Amino acid sequence: MRAGRVVSPVLVGRESELARLVALVAGAPAVAVVEGEAGIGKSRLTAELLGDPAVAGLRVLSGACVQIREPFPLGPVVEALRGRASELDGAALSPVAGALRELLPELAGVLPETPPPLDDRAAERHRVFRGLAEVLTALGPAVLAVEDLHWADGQTVEFLTYLMSVLPGTLRVVLTYRSEEASGAVRAITARAPHTIAAEHLVLPPLDAAQTRVMASVILGAEEVTAEFAEHLCGRASGLPLAVQELLALLRDRGTLIRWEGGWARRALEELDVPSGVRASVRERVARLSPGAKEVAERAAVLQLPVPVALLSGPDVGAIDEVLGSGLFADTGGLVGFRHVLAAQAVYEAIPLGRRQALHAAAADTVRELRPVPLGRLAHHLRQAGRADQWVEAAIEAAEQASRLGDDAEAARLLEDVLRGAELPAARRAELTVKLGWAALELLRPPPVADLVTGALEQDVPPPFRGHLRLLLALHLERTRIDGARIGEAFARAADDLAGEPGLAAWAMAGVGRPPSGLPPEETMSWLERALATLPAVADPAMRMLVLGKIAMIFVVMGDPRWAVLADDLLRETGGRRLLRREVNAYRSIGGAALFSGHHRRGRRLLTAAVEEGAEPDLRERLELRCLVNLAAADYFEGSWHGLPARLQELRDQFGDEPHERILVDIVTACLAAVQGRQEAALPPLLDAAAEARTRGQYDDLVLPLAMLLRLTAARGEPEAAIEAAVEAGRHWEASELWPVAVRALPGLTEALLAAGRPEEAAEVVARHAARVDGLDAPLAAPALAQSRGLLAAAEGRWARAAAEFAAAADAFETVPARYEAAQASEQAAACLFALDAPEAAVRLGRAVAVYADLGARWDLDRATGLGRRWGVRPAAQSAPAQAGNDHALSARQEQVARLAAEGLTNQEIARELFLSPKTVDKHVSAAMRKVGARSRTELARHLLPGD
C-alpha cells in the first residue's frame, strides 16, 4: 500500500460554522446543535471547536452515544463526568448529589452519602438529574459535548431536556445527531430552552465541488487538483467529507492518481469506475491489507467500539500498525478502533455469516475481560454468535442492571428480545414477562407486549405470577382501548388471583368498573364498591391514592356524588407536600373527568394542583403535559379563550404522536376555529377527530365534537349524518351511564332534530335525558335541559315559555361557569323576547354580543348582531360577565415570582432570590402566564406592571 495522508489536516468547508460556534461558546449559558447526515463532518467540526484556543480556558466534558446500548442510563453524560473526581474535591455539593453514587462510583470519594430511596421511580430519576446538574455547576466554566444523540437512551434525552431549563451560567452544551435518524424527542431537547440561553442550530450541508477541490488538494499535498477531477470526486462522494477521504485513499491505493502540471488528475475518467459512497471503497481498501491486518480490521468491525490494543492485536502485533497506517483506524488514548462507524459497518457487512459468528464468539470473550463488563455488548455478541443460553442469561443480567438504575426503556427492550427470541421454561417466561410488563408501563409509549403476556398465560403459570400477568394484560390492552370485553375479563380474573395483594386487586376491580365496561350498571357498581371496600387494606399510600383516583374518576362521570368525598380524601392525605407521580396521576384522572362532567371549577383546581404541586419528575412531559391538555379544554369549556389557539398549537407539537391527547387537542382546536368564523375549515378536522375517537373507544371525548357538528350541520340544513353519529354515541353513553357527560351534547342534538323536522323525537330525547340525570351530580344537566326545553317551546311558538327556559339556562351556565353556552342561551332568550316585544330583549342580546365579542366568536357575533338588525335594535354595549370564582387568580407565590419575571429577572436570578429551583420558578411563571393570558414575559409585564 502507498503511504499518504488520509484525513484532511485542516477543516474544509466548515469555516463559517466553526466561527459561529467559537463565538457562541465565548459566553455562557449557551447551547449549540449540530445536525447532518452520516459522514457529513459533525464530529470533525466538534473536535475542531473543542481544540480551538477560545476553549483553552474551559473544562472539556465529552461523551458519545453508541449503537449497541448498555443497560446503563445516561451513558454519554457518565462518560463525560467519570474522571472528574479530583476536580470536584472540596466542592460544596448538596445531599442530592449523593444520588449519583451508583451511577458514578468513580466519584464516590467526593460525593455526599446516598440519600434514602424514594417510592417513585420518576422522582428518583429526577433526583439524579438534579445531582448531575449540580455536579456540572460545581465544575465551573466548561463545555459539555454530547455526540450521536440519534442513538441516545431515553434518560439521556430527558436529562438534556431538563438541563436546558436549569443550565448553569458557566456551562456551554454542544449536541450532535444525524438528521435522518433523530427522534422527535431529541429534536425537542432545545425547543423549550429559556430565552436567556444563547443558541445556535447548524445543519451541515454537503461540500460543493470547489470545497471538495480544496479538501483533495490538502489531503494529497498538492497546490491544486483539476476541476474535472474535483467535480467527479464530489459527485461520487455526494459531497460527504468522509466519502471524499475514503475515495481518495482508494484511488491512491489503486495507483490511479497521477500528477499533471503541478496538480492531480485522474488517469482517465472513462477508465475508472470508482464505487459510489463509502461502502465499496472501504471494502476494497481492507482487501488490500495483509491477512493479519485484515483479521484485525474484521475483529474491530465486529466489536464496533474502540478497545485496548492488547485485546485487539492477537499474535501479529504489527497488524494494528498496518491498519492504523492505512487511515482506517484511529488511536484515541490507547483505545483502537475504526475512525468512523460507517467504515466499521461496511467491513462488518462483508464478513461471511459463518466467520461473523466466530468473530462474535471471540468478541464475547474479549469484552468479558473489560472492567466493568459491558453487559449490553456481551449479550449482543453472544446472541450473534449463536450461544443462545449464554445470551439469555447475559441479557437478563443486563435488564436487571438497567432496571436497578431506573432505565426502564432499556430493561423492557432487553426483556422483550429474550421473550421473543428464546425458548424458556414456563415459570421463567412468566417471571420475565411480569418484569417486562411493569417496566413497559413506566414508559410514555409502551411497546406492544400484550401478545407476550397472553402467551405466558397460555402456559402453566405458577400462582404468584398469574394475577400479575392478568392485570398486566388488562392494563396493556387498556392502552389501545380496543376489545373492551377482553379488557374487562382480564381485570376481573386478575382481581380474583390477586386476593393477597389488596392494592393490585383494588386496581383490577376499578378496572372492571371503568366505562365502557359492557356490564349491567348494577354489576359495574358492584365492582366499584368492592374496590372501595378494599382500599383500607392497601398499605402503600401512593397505590391507595392511585386506586382512589380511578374510583373517583368513574364516580364523577356517572354522577355519583361520592366522587367529591374521595377527592377530598385525596387532597387531605396529599396536601401540604410535593405530589408523587401516582398522586399526580390521581389528581389528573379526577380533574379531567370532573371537567367533562361539568365540574369546571373543581376540575381546574385539581389539574392546576397536579401541575404546580407535582414533584417535578416529568420535565414538562407526560403527566404534566396531559394535565395541560385538560387545562386547555377547561379554558374552552369556561370561555377563557385569550391565547388559547397558541397554547393548543404548542400542545399539538408536544403530543403529535400520542393519540389520546392529540385527539382532544384537535377537537378543541377545531371547535374554536368553528366558533371564530372558520366553519368550513373546521368540519374536516372535527369529523376526523370524532372518527378516531370513536375507533379508539374515547366516547367521553366524543361529546364535544358531536355537539359542535350538530350545531354546524343544523345551521347548514344538513343535520342527518351528525344526528346518526350522535345517536350511535348516545347508545354507548347510555350503556356506560355517562349521563353527566352526555348531557353536554343535548342542546345541539335537540336543535339538529328540530332542524331535521323530527320534533317528536327531539322531545323524547329531552325527556329521556331528564329522567336519567334526575338525582345525579351533574352540573350541566339543569342548564342543558332548560336550553333544550327552550328550543322545543320556541319550535312551537310558545315564546314566553321558551324565553323563561333560555334565561334560566343562561343563568345556570354562568354558574358552571360556561360563558359561551350562557351567551348562546341569552341570545336565544333575546330572540323569544323580541317576538313578545319585551323591552328586556335588547339587554339580553347585548349581554350575548359582549361575550361573543370578548371571546372572538365571530360566527355567533355575526348571527346575534343580525338578529338585532332584524328587530331594529343595535345591542347596547353590555360588559361581558366576569368569570365566576377565582380559579384564574394568582397564588401569592405565583404573583411574587411573576412580578420578578416581569421586572426582567431570569429564572436563575429569581431562584437565587427566593431560594427555589429554576424549574420551580419556570412552573410558577408558566402558570402565571397561563392564568393572565400572556404569551410572553413582555405581555406578563403589561398585566402586572401596568404603570410602566
Side-chain angles (χ1 to χ4, degrees), residues 70 96 108 228 267 305 424 497 525 574 638 663 673 700 838 848:
E70 288 302 319
V96 75
E228 181 188 35
R267 184 164 290 168
L305 297 177
L424 299 168
D497 288 334
M525 190 56 66
T574 60
E638 293 182 347
I663 290 170
D700 46 350

Side-chain angles (χ1 to χ4, degrees), residues 178-361:
R178 292 183 189 172
S179 308
E180 68 277 14
E181 297 180 36
S183 66
V186 167
R187 293 180 174 279
I189 287 173
T190 58
R192 299 182 63 87
H195 70 281
T196 52
I197 298 176
E200 285 280 5
H201 191 129
L202 306 180
V203 181
L204 301 186
L207 300 180
D208 59 24
Q211 293 165 333
T212 302
R213 192 175 187 182
V214 173
M215 176 174 279
S217 296
V218 297
I219 289 177
L220 297 173
E223 291 183 5
E224 190 175 3
V225 299
T226 64
E228 181 188 35
F229 175 78
E231 288 279 358
H232 178 82
L233 185 60
C234 183
R236 288 304 177 91
S238 301
L240 296 179
L242 175 67
V244 170
Q245 295 170 170
E246 289 296 333
L247 289 171
L248 285 173
L250 174 62
L251 289 169
R252 184 161 45 199
D253 286 352
R254 287 182 178 180
T256 54
L257 285 172
I258 61 171
R259 284 191 176 275
W260 179 71
E261 295 183 359
W264 289 85
R266 288 194 314 131
R267 184 164 290 168
L269 283 173
E270 64 276 7
E271 293 176 4
L272 181 60
D273 180 20
V274 180
S276 61
V278 174
R279 182 177 288 105
S281 168
V282 170
R283 290 177 185 174
E284 185 170 338
R285 292 176 62 201
V286 170
R288 295 173 182 272
L289 298 172
S290 68
K294 180 179 178 181
E295 180 179 350
V296 167
E298 289 179 341
R299 291 176 63 187
V302 168
L303 285 165
Q304 287 199 16
L305 297 177
V307 295
V309 173
L311 296 181
L312 192 61
S313 61
D316 187 354
V317 293
I320 287 183
D321 290 336
E322 183 180 343
V323 188
L324 281 167
S326 75
L328 288 167
F329 275 11
D331 179 355
T332 54
L335 300 179
V336 178
F338 275 92
R339 188 177 296 279
H340 199 285
V341 67
L342 291 182
Q345 289 174 350
V347 175
Y348 181 81
E349 291 166 4
I351 302 172
L353 178 60
R355 176 160 174 73
R356 194 185 296 175
Q357 282 195 321
L359 288 170
H360 274 294

Side-chain angles (χ1 to χ4, degrees), residues 17 45 121 180 182 208 247 261 277 435 483 494 562 588 668 701 727 742 841 943:
E17 289 89 346
L45 178 61
R121 292 292 289 273
E180 68 277 14
D208 59 24
L247 289 171
E261 295 183 359
K435 290 182 178 180
D483 199 352
R562 286 178 293 175
R588 180 189 67 87
V668 177
D701 291 341
V727 169
H943 281 279

Side-chain angles (χ1 to χ4, degrees), residues 354-444:
R355 176 160 174 73
R356 194 185 296 175
Q357 282 195 321
L359 288 170
H360 274 294
D365 295 336
T366 297
V367 300
R368 276 199 180 100
E369 299 180 32
L370 299 175
R371 292 294 178 270
V373 177
L375 293 172
R377 291 162 68 186
L378 177 60
H380 167 76
H381 292 308
L382 289 170
R383 187 178 192 183
Q384 298 302 318
R387 298 180 180 177
D389 292 343
Q390 294 178 48
W391 159 59
V392 168
E393 293 310 311
I396 292 171
E397 186 179 355
E400 289 172 350
Q401 176 176 295
S403 181
R404 187 171 61 253
L405 293 171
D407 192 350
D408 294 302
E410 184 64 8
R413 186 190 68 79
L414 289 162
L415 289 170
E416 184 178 3
D417 274 353
V418 168
L419 289 165
R420 293 196 186 280
E423 293 293 331
L424 299 168
R428 186 67 161 151
R429 175 168 291 276
E431 177 190 3
L432 295 179
T433 305
V434 168
K435 290 182 178 180
L436 167 62
W438 288 120
L441 286 175
E442 293 290 332
L443 306 179
L444 177 62

Side-chain angles (χ1 to χ4, degrees), residues 518-604:
L519 300 174
E522 59 276 8
E523 191 172 344
T524 295
M525 190 56 66
S526 173
W527 279 103
L528 295 174
E529 297 288 359
R530 283 180 60 187
L532 201 56
T534 306
L535 278 183
V538 180
D540 178 10
M543 174 63 77
R544 187 166 63 252
M545 293 301 100
L546 175 74
V547 178
L548 182 149
K550 293 181 179 299
I551 299 171
M553 174 188 71
I554 299 168
F555 279 170
V556 69
V557 296
M558 298 178 72
D560 189 320
R562 286 178 293 175
W563 80 270
V565 177
L566 295 177
D568 287 341
D569 289 345
L570 174 67
L571 292 169
R572 183 168 51 255
E573 188 155 342
T574 60
R577 61 172 173 80
R578 307 300 282 175
L579 301 176
L580 298 177
R581 186 179 51 132
R582 282 181 168 173
E583 295 163 348
V584 171
N585 195 39
Y587 276 58
R588 180 189 67 87
S589 297
I590 305 173
L595 273 182
F596 279 84
S597 303
H599 298 276
H600 293 175
R601 288 201 197 94
R602 191 75 182 272
R604 177 183 289 280

Side-chain angles (χ1 to χ4, degrees), residues 3 40 140 149 151 154 183 218 309 383 388 426 439 470-471 514 524 590 635 681 686 730 767 808 876 879 918 943:
I40 201 69
L149 276 168
W151 287 327
S183 66
V218 297
V309 173
R383 187 178 192 183
R470 284 177 172 155
L471 177 59
R514 178 177 177 174
T524 295
I590 305 173
D635 288 340
L686 270 175
S879 60
H943 281 279

Side-chain angles (χ1 to χ4, degrees), residues 30-113:
V31 60
V33 173
V34 181
E35 67 167 293
E37 60 184 301
I40 201 69
K42 301 180 295 297
S43 294
R44 176 63 185 271
L45 178 61
T46 303
E48 291 285 340
L49 170 67
L50 298 181
D52 192 275
V55 181
L58 305 174
R59 282 195 176 91
V60 174
L61 315 170
S62 60
C65 308
V66 295
Q67 193 168 16
I68 300 176
R69 288 185 186 170
E70 288 302 319
F72 212 84
L74 300 157
V77 183
V78 170
E79 180 186 348
L81 294 176
R82 61 162 42 110
R84 304 290 170 173
S86 61
E87 299 161 49
L88 290 167
D89 193 20
L93 298 173
S94 75
V96 75
L100 304 180
R101 278 177 165 267
E102 188 167 11
L103 192 68
L104 284 161
E106 301 89 345
L107 304 186
V110 296
L111 293 174
E113 292 301 313

